[in-house]
Amino acid sequence: MTLQSFIENYGYFAVLLGTFLEGETVLVMAGFAAFRGYLDLPLVIAVAFAGSFLGDQLYFLLGQHKGVAILARYPRLAERATHVQSLLHKYHTLLILVIRFLYGLRIVGPVAIGMSGILWHRFLILNMVGAAVWAVVIGTLGYFFGSVLELLIADIRHYEEAILGFFLLAGLLMWAIYRWRNRGQK
């Protein structure tokens, strides 16, 4: 199986799963794959929206119902949750809209917001808008990254498997480092 066929067969599922859990690296790579013609950019954006939206809804509900227990079990998350809640008091609506853009707050943010007493339907609407903006912006950046890269490398098709492989490995390495640094926090 070639890298191209692997992406064509499993790319959308990877985008859904990746954006449900974290997101940016997977979505940038999917945008690049869309530029190369392996995936369809509007579908990448739609799947990324769904994954991001559903993930944050789940984290919000966990915060509402199990937030205290989660923070007690993972004390390092409690520090971030306190930070999110202080930001929430100052920038209520804006924070909910942009939380997925803030590094290190992607999962703990919705948990902390769920603990804050915000009504579920308010979060649902703001989360929907935020997820849509995020999916369009990050997916499109990945797509345009591909067009810039093509300008820099005259014969990108010759190098595309190496480039996609590099980004896949870089994404996995970033995820592994993140998980290692944050073990015991969630």
Side-chain angles (χ1 to χ4, degrees):
M1 176 179 275
T2 66
L3 184 57
Q4 177 179 347
S5 65
F6 181 81
I7 292 170
E8 289 170 345
N9 289 327
Y10 303 106
Y12 296 113
F13 177 73
V15 171
L16 182 67
L17 184 61
T19 56
F20 185 87
L21 298 173
E22 294 288 339
E24 290 79 13
T25 305
V26 170
L27 187 49
V28 167
M29 290 186 329
F32 179 74
F35 172 77
R36 295 303 308 141
Y38 302 153
L39 301 174
D40 180 57
L41 184 61
L43 190 53
V44 164
I45 290 170
V47 171
F49 161 76
S52 178
F53 172 76
L54 293 172
D56 284 3
Q57 284 302 127
L58 174 67
Y59 304 139
F60 176 82
L61 291 172
L62 285 172
Q64 273 190 322
H65 300 286
K66 302 282 185 188
V68 173
I70 291 170
L71 296 183
R73 182 171 178 174
Y74 304 104
R76 288 185 55 193
L77 282 183
E79 295 170 22
R80 291 186 197 162
T82 301
H83 180 64
V84 169
Q85 290 185 341
S86 70
L87 289 173
L88 192 60
H89 291 292
K90 294 178 187 176
Y91 311 104
H92 180 81
T93 299
L94 181 63
L95 181 66
I96 296 170
L97 289 171
V98 302
I99 194 73
R100 66 188 31 82
F101 286 97
L102 302 176
Y103 180 76
L105 301 179
R106 176 65 198 276
I107 294 174
V108 73
V111 170
I113 294 167
M115 294 174 63
S116 72
I118 289 176
L119 299 174
W120 69 268
H121 53 80
R122 178 168 174 75
F123 182 78
L124 179 111
I125 292 167
L126 293 172
N127 183 34
M128 191 177 298
V129 172
V133 170
W134 177 84
V136 169
V137 168
I138 302 299
T140 303
L141 282 174
Y143 186 87
F144 285 120
F145 171 75
S147 66
V148 169
L149 192 58
E150 187 171 71
L151 291 173
L152 297 174
I153 301 173
D155 186 15
I156 195 168
R157 188 157 297 278
H158 179 71
Y159 302 105
E160 70 185 4
E161 286 200 11
I163 292 168
L164 287 172
F166 169 77
F167 282 109
L168 181 62
L169 287 174
L172 288 172
L173 180 62
M174 288 171 54
W175 177 79
I177 290 169
Y178 173 81
R179 297 295 293 173
W180 179 76
R181 288 185 66 213
N182 296 306
R183 65 188 183 281
Q185 292 182 29
K186 294 182 182 176

